[in-house]
Amino acid sequence: MPRERGEKVVATNRRARHEYAIEKTYEAGLVLTGTEVKSLREGRANLSDGYAYIDGEEAYLDAVHIPEYSQGHWTNHSSKRTRKLLLHKAEIIKLSHAISAGGYTLIPLKLYFSDGRAKVEIAVAKGKREYEKRQTIREREDKREAERAMRSRNRLGD
């Protein structure tokens, strides 16, 4: 059987970009059990409540919901267990310094398979205040209206 190539996205955390200001992103591997991988290959996962943390010299992903594998039996995994992240030691040190600076947190943005291996994209992020969220929405709508006006203006000029 040929080996998988490319990237297959399983789940994205769309709410994260609205709730947080993303500073820097990292790609990390995941330590998973067999039934978790099978469940992910079916495209079932939820990142919305998830977060990552550093404990000692290791990074963990918590509260990410990977539902139980439908055809699993007594070896099935618990759906919201803590999973270890695979990062280089230097990356873990950078992340711990960023978090200890205050106001920053680690959130998962995307869960995907890269060349057949499960990966998660985590971000160092700072929570947005309510007025910052409204301002972001306003800027996006203004940009959309400007593009619409330019498009209609270009059609009239032809």
Side-chain angles (χ1 to χ4, degrees):
M1 185 166 129
R3 196 176 168 109
E4 275 187 53
R5 293 281 175 219
E7 187 174 294
K8 178 189 169 201
V9 177
V10 176
T12 57
N13 190 351
R14 293 173 52 197
R15 203 177 84 198
R17 297 199 186 272
H18 177 71
E19 300 280 331
Y20 298 95
I22 308 298
E23 297 290 324
K24 186 160 169 101
T25 61
Y26 294 89
E27 180 184 66
L30 278 167
V31 176
L32 299 172
T33 64
T35 55
E36 286 174 320
V37 175
K38 289 178 181 183
S39 187
L40 284 177
R41 289 203 189 279
E42 289 180 347
R44 299 166 52 201
N46 185 354
L47 296 174
S48 62
D49 297 333
Y51 63 95
Y53 64 93
I54 309 258
D55 185 23
E57 292 184 356
E58 295 181 345
Y60 296 95
L61 185 65
D62 201 9
V64 170
H65 182 74
I66 299 175
E68 289 184 353
Y69 183 55
S70 58
Q71 296 168 357
H73 43 82
W74 61 272
T75 59
N76 235 337
H77 63 279
S78 61
S79 59
K80 281 203 171 186
R81 74 178 187 88
T82 302
R83 296 163 180 94
K84 187 175 176 183
L85 293 175
L86 302 173
L87 289 161
H88 291 284
K89 192 172 185 177
E91 289 177 326
I92 293 174
I93 291 169
K94 282 181 192 176
L95 290 172
S96 66
H97 287 310
I99 293 170
S100 63
Y104 290 98
T105 187
L106 289 174
I107 55 167
L109 296 178
K110 183 168 67 168
L111 187 60
Y112 58 98
F113 283 100
S114 177
D115 294 335
R117 298 183 189 275
K119 304 282 184 179
V120 65
E121 182 177 301
I122 57 173
V124 176
K126 190 172 210 160
K128 285 186 183 176
R129 294 204 166 81
E130 199 62 38
Y131 67 87
E132 291 172 327
K133 294 177 193 175
R134 285 193 299 267
Q135 182 179 359
T136 305
I137 292 169
R138 193 175 307 116
E139 287 171 358
R140 186 171 53 231
E141 288 175 355
D142 290 344
K143 183 179 175 185
R144 201 173 288 149
E145 285 178 25
E147 287 175 358
R148 207 174 289 137
M150 290 294 286
R151 211 175 302 123
S152 65
R153 188 171 153 204
N154 287 340
R155 284 188 196 141
L156 294 175
D158 288 340

